[in-house]
Amino acid sequence: MAIRKIREVGDPLLRKKSRPFDTVDEKAKELLEDLYETLKVTDDGVGLAAPQVGVLRRAIVVDLTMEEENPQGPYFLINPVITKKSGEQVCREGCLSVPGKLGDVIRPEKVTVEALDKDGKKIKIKAEGLLAVVLSHEIDHLDGILFIDKATEIFDQEELERLEQEEAERNK
Ligand code: NI
């Protein structure tokens, strides 16, 4: 297992379409493990897709185990596909490949994702709320799509934090 370098916006590889796996072989498993290891050492990442570490294959990891209200995951997914979606929600998203930026993105409220798990077994995830957002965001990466392409508004993270702090000071 290894921690891999995360590619950032401007890297043409992030804009390419990833190839599916025929089977969940050792290479696929190692990639999933590396994605998880790499995700774990980030400050606040909840998902990572293979192209973000420079591998154009359809693999993602999603980890919402740190969520207080509804901990979920970690999910290790090969060839994930959204087979059903419904509703709408707006989420303020960030991305490890787009440091310092946040954006408001309209995502489905609910999605059904079908994929293969680490053992090559077919799985189906019925997700809603934050999990639906993160799965949609990570699957977009496999088609070269970043949240900044879909955001209705983009914010500078530092600026946003400064404004929030000022607001908190005023309300003391
Ligand atoms: Ni991302």
Side-chain angles (χ1 to χ4, degrees):
M1 285 192 287
I3 291 163
R4 304 206 192 182
K5 189 175 173 293
I6 297 178
R7 309 267 179 142
E8 293 184 358
V9 64
D11 189 321
L13 206 131
L14 286 173
R15 295 313 200 161
K16 299 214 162 110
K17 220 172 147 72
S18 291
R19 239 168 4 104
F21 283 92
D22 295 329
T23 56
V24 182
D25 53 13
E26 284 310 309
K27 219 173 145 186
K29 281 182 200 171
E30 195 186 315
L31 177 59
L32 287 171
E33 289 299 335
D34 285 0
L35 285 173
Y36 185 58
E37 288 296 300
T38 306
L39 180 62
K40 273 204 302 192
V41 297
T42 66
D43 284 336
D44 47 11
V46 288
L48 196 61
Q52 292 182 275
V53 300
V55 180
L56 290 172
R57 303 304 299 272
R58 302 188 86 83
I60 64 170
V61 167
V62 170
D63 186 5
L64 291 177
T65 49
M66 303 78 75
E67 288 300 302
E68 270 175 36
E69 274 185 23
N70 188 15
Q72 294 172 92
Y75 296 99
F76 297 85
L77 306 179
I78 294 289
N79 302 343
V81 177
I82 295 174
T83 54
K84 239 188 243 176
K85 55 183 167 183
S86 64
E88 268 188 4
Q89 60 177 322
V90 179
C91 188
R92 186 155 294 172
E93 294 179 22
C95 178
L96 294 167
S97 294
V98 190
K101 296 267 190 274
L102 296 173
D104 288 343
V105 186
I106 300 167
R107 299 282 188 187
E109 170 58 28
K110 293 181 182 180
V111 295
T112 301
V113 171
E114 292 183 31
L116 298 174
D117 71 6
K118 257 204 265 195
D119 304 312
K121 276 204 300 255
K122 276 190 189 173
I123 51 166
K124 191 188 267 194
I125 302 164
K126 290 188 175 177
E128 56 181 81
L130 183 60
L131 182 58
V133 169
V134 182
L135 285 167
S136 304
H137 176 121
E138 299 312 328
I139 292 170
D140 270 353
H141 274 298
L142 305 180
D143 293 315
I145 299 164
L146 301 176
F147 82 93
I148 46 175
D149 306 339
K150 294 187 163 177
T152 51
E153 215 170 334
I154 294 172
F155 307 92
D156 191 287
Q157 198 165 7
E158 253 174 57
E159 176 80 353
L160 216 57
E161 276 163 21
R162 194 175 56 78
L163 289 173
E164 272 169 21
Q165 222 159 40
E166 277 175 12
E167 176 81 20
E169 287 293 318
R170 267 200 303 275
N171 292 336
K172 255 185 190 166

Short mmCIF file of all heavy atoms in Angstrom, two decimals, residues 47 52 94-97 137-138 141 146-147, ligand 1:
data_model
loop_
_atom_site.label_atom_id
_atom_site.label_comp_id
_atom_site.label_asym_id
_atom_site.label_seq_id
_atom_site.Cartn_x
_atom_site.Cartn_y
_atom_site.Cartn_z
N GLY A 47 -13.88 11.49 -0.18
CA GLY A 47 -13.89 10.61 -1.34
C GLY A 47 -12.70 10.88 -2.23
O GLY A 47 -12.13 11.98 -2.20
N GLN A 52 -7.60 11.06 -9.84
CA GLN A 52 -6.98 12.06 -8.96
C GLN A 52 -5.58 11.66 -8.52
O GLN A 52 -4.80 12.50 -8.10
CB GLN A 52 -7.86 12.31 -7.73
CG GLN A 52 -9.17 12.99 -8.06
CD GLN A 52 -9.97 13.27 -6.81
OE1 GLN A 52 -10.71 12.41 -6.35
NE2 GLN A 52 -9.81 14.46 -6.25
N GLY A 94 -16.21 20.76 -2.04
CA GLY A 94 -14.81 21.02 -2.30
C GLY A 94 -14.24 19.78 -2.96
O GLY A 94 -14.95 18.78 -3.14
N CYS A 95 -12.98 19.83 -3.34
CA CYS A 95 -12.35 18.68 -3.98
C CYS A 95 -10.85 18.73 -3.70
O CYS A 95 -10.25 19.80 -3.75
CB CYS A 95 -12.61 18.75 -5.49
SG CYS A 95 -11.83 17.42 -6.41
N LEU A 96 -10.29 17.57 -3.40
CA LEU A 96 -8.86 17.52 -3.10
C LEU A 96 -8.01 17.95 -4.30
O LEU A 96 -6.88 18.37 -4.13
CB LEU A 96 -8.47 16.11 -2.64
CG LEU A 96 -9.09 15.68 -1.31
CD1 LEU A 96 -8.92 14.18 -1.09
CD2 LEU A 96 -8.49 16.45 -0.14
N SER A 97 -8.59 17.87 -5.50
CA SER A 97 -7.87 18.28 -6.71
C SER A 97 -8.09 19.75 -7.05
O SER A 97 -7.52 20.25 -8.01
CB SER A 97 -8.30 17.42 -7.90
OG SER A 97 -7.88 16.08 -7.70
N HIS A 137 -20.18 13.08 -7.12
CA HIS A 137 -18.94 13.85 -7.33
C HIS A 137 -17.80 12.92 -7.77
O HIS A 137 -17.09 13.22 -8.74
CB HIS A 137 -18.59 14.57 -6.01
CG HIS A 137 -17.30 15.32 -6.01
ND1 HIS A 137 -17.22 16.67 -5.76
CD2 HIS A 137 -16.02 14.91 -6.18
CE1 HIS A 137 -15.95 17.05 -5.81
NE2 HIS A 137 -15.19 16.00 -6.06
N GLU A 138 -17.64 11.79 -7.09
CA GLU A 138 -16.52 10.88 -7.40
C GLU A 138 -16.72 10.21 -8.76
O GLU A 138 -15.78 10.04 -9.52
CB GLU A 138 -16.34 9.83 -6.31
CG GLU A 138 -16.01 10.39 -4.93
CD GLU A 138 -14.92 11.42 -4.90
OE1 GLU A 138 -13.98 11.37 -5.72
OE2 GLU A 138 -15.00 12.34 -4.06
N HIS A 141 -15.65 12.33 -11.58
CA HIS A 141 -14.20 12.33 -11.82
C HIS A 141 -13.81 11.28 -12.87
O HIS A 141 -12.87 11.48 -13.63
CB HIS A 141 -13.43 12.00 -10.53
CG HIS A 141 -13.14 13.19 -9.66
ND1 HIS A 141 -12.37 14.25 -10.08
CD2 HIS A 141 -13.50 13.47 -8.38
CE1 HIS A 141 -12.28 15.13 -9.08
NE2 HIS A 141 -12.96 14.69 -8.04
N LEU A 146 -15.20 17.94 -13.15
CA LEU A 146 -14.91 18.48 -11.83
C LEU A 146 -16.09 19.31 -11.34
O LEU A 146 -16.86 19.82 -12.15
CB LEU A 146 -13.65 19.36 -11.87
CG LEU A 146 -12.36 18.68 -12.35
CD1 LEU A 146 -11.23 19.70 -12.44
CD2 LEU A 146 -11.97 17.54 -11.41
N PHE A 147 -16.20 19.47 -10.01
CA PHE A 147 -17.36 20.21 -9.47
C PHE A 147 -17.41 21.65 -9.97
O PHE A 147 -18.48 22.24 -10.09
CB PHE A 147 -17.39 20.15 -7.94
CG PHE A 147 -16.49 21.14 -7.25
CD1 PHE A 147 -16.97 22.39 -6.86
CD2 PHE A 147 -15.17 20.84 -6.99
CE1 PHE A 147 -16.15 23.32 -6.24
CE2 PHE A 147 -14.34 21.76 -6.36
CZ PHE A 147 -14.82 23.00 -6.00
NI NI B 1 -13.15 15.62 -6.16
#
